[in-house]
Amino acid sequence: MILYPAIDLINGACVRLAQGKFDQVTLYDPDPFKRLSLFNDEAAQWVHIVDLDGAKAGSPQQHELIGRLAKASKARIQTGGGVRSREHVKTLLDAGVAAVVVGSAAVKNPEEVRGWLKDFGKERITLALDVLPTKDGDFDAALHGWVEGSGISLWDVLDYYPVGVAQRILVTDVSRDGMLMGPNMDLMRALRQKRPDLEIQASGGVKSIDDLYDLKALGVHGAIVGKAIYEGLIDLKAALNVG
């Protein structure tokens, strides 16, 4: 399993949100290059970077900074936030990132995104499905930086991308993100059962090394970890050894 230590950016600084709420921001490091250097020093294979300003605005806001971070990184960079067009994807790939995360567009414009997967390569695009649990036990795909639901079930969105079309998928239970509640294991288990063809990255709630071992046991391909690292609950070097 691959660990993706996370850098979430607002105004160029490393932050974390609680449940995706932009009015609940914790500042951890004003210098993302310093944080990236720490991840590189521990030999992280990948780093997950999110342009939260872009996610909120619905258009890229920090792509120039992310390009500079990609050039400074020994690790491969996976990044997203506000990616809504083919041009956005191309700009990030040309800047040196290894994989571009596509969220709202994957839900709202699946035909267009299927074209990006074909043209750029499915190994270079990660579909991000951020979900909000519903009262009936389903999961509603969230849009626009998690601030609204789509009314479309996670499982229906996955049907937009039949076997062989996509490769990488990042699923975040927004209700757990930044809350250190532990990952939604039932959701991850259901995803593995329904779509064993996809490389699933788990996001939201990871709080301990045990969580990572549990995800690995399920066959989850990767895990995004942010707050638990920043708060010192997970030792990055130990976490990287889980894989």
Side-chain angles (χ1 to χ4, degrees):
M1 187 178 72
I2 298 172
L3 183 79
Y4 294 75
I7 295 175
D8 289 1
L9 297 170
I10 289 182
N11 293 326
C14 300
V15 304
R16 297 301 295 171
L17 305 182
Q19 297 181 322
K21 297 176 181 178
F22 283 84
D23 60 352
Q24 296 186 31
V25 181
T26 302
L27 172 64
Y28 283 103
D29 198 331
D31 183 0
F33 289 91
K34 179 180 178 182
R35 181 61 57 172
L36 180 64
S37 179
L38 292 173
F39 293 162
N40 284 332
D41 288 347
E42 295 296 347
Q45 297 178 44
W46 284 84
V47 174
H48 179 74
I49 301 178
V50 182
D51 176 2
L52 287 174
D53 293 324
K56 186 176 182 180
S59 62
Q61 303 295 309
Q62 301 179 94
H63 280 191
E64 188 274 334
L65 170 59
I66 291 170
R68 289 192 287 119
L69 287 165
K71 288 180 173 61
S73 179
K74 298 176 184 177
R76 287 174 283 183
I77 299 297
Q78 171 177 272
T79 188
V83 176
R84 301 287 192 272
S85 71
R86 177 185 296 271
E87 181 182 359
H88 296 162
V89 176
K90 185 176 187 302
T91 296
L92 285 168
L93 291 175
D94 288 347
V97 309
V100 177
V101 177
V102 178
S104 295
V107 178
K108 298 177 67 176
N109 304 306
E111 183 174 356
E112 186 174 357
V113 174
R114 287 195 296 267
W116 304 348
L117 287 160
K118 181 178 179 180
D119 294 344
F120 293 110
K122 59 186 178 180
E123 75 283 355
R124 304 192 76 189
I125 292 180
T126 302
L127 302 180
L129 302 182
D130 307 321
V131 299
L132 299 162
T134 63
K135 292 181 180 179
D136 62 1
D138 201 353
F139 293 91
D140 183 24
L143 299 173
H144 306 307
W146 303 350
V147 298
E148 65 181 74
S150 65
I152 304 173
S153 167
L154 164 65
W155 313 113
D156 289 337
V157 175
L158 287 175
D159 287 343
Y160 298 159
Y161 303 93
V163 174
V165 172
Q167 176 178 323
R168 301 164 58 87
I169 184 169
L170 190 168
V171 179
T172 303
D173 182 339
V174 177
S175 70
R176 293 171 179 258
D177 194 70
M179 303 305 291
L180 301 175
M181 299 167 59
N184 189 328
M185 300 301 293
D186 290 339
L187 172 59
M188 292 301 128
R189 188 175 294 106
L191 283 165
R192 285 286 297 143
Q193 291 173 349
K194 290 177 181 291
R195 292 301 301 267
D197 59 299
L198 296 172
E199 295 177 359
I200 299 167
Q201 298 174 29
S203 176
V206 173
K207 67 182 187 305
S208 69
I209 291 288
D210 287 343
D211 289 338
L212 296 176
Y213 279 110
D214 289 344
L215 289 168
K216 181 181 179 180
L218 280 182
V220 172
H221 187 264
I224 312 294
V225 183
K227 188 172 183 178
I229 292 174
Y230 288 81
E231 294 282 347
L233 300 177
I234 289 181
D235 177 76
L236 178 57
K237 185 173 184 178
L240 289 167
N241 288 332
V242 172

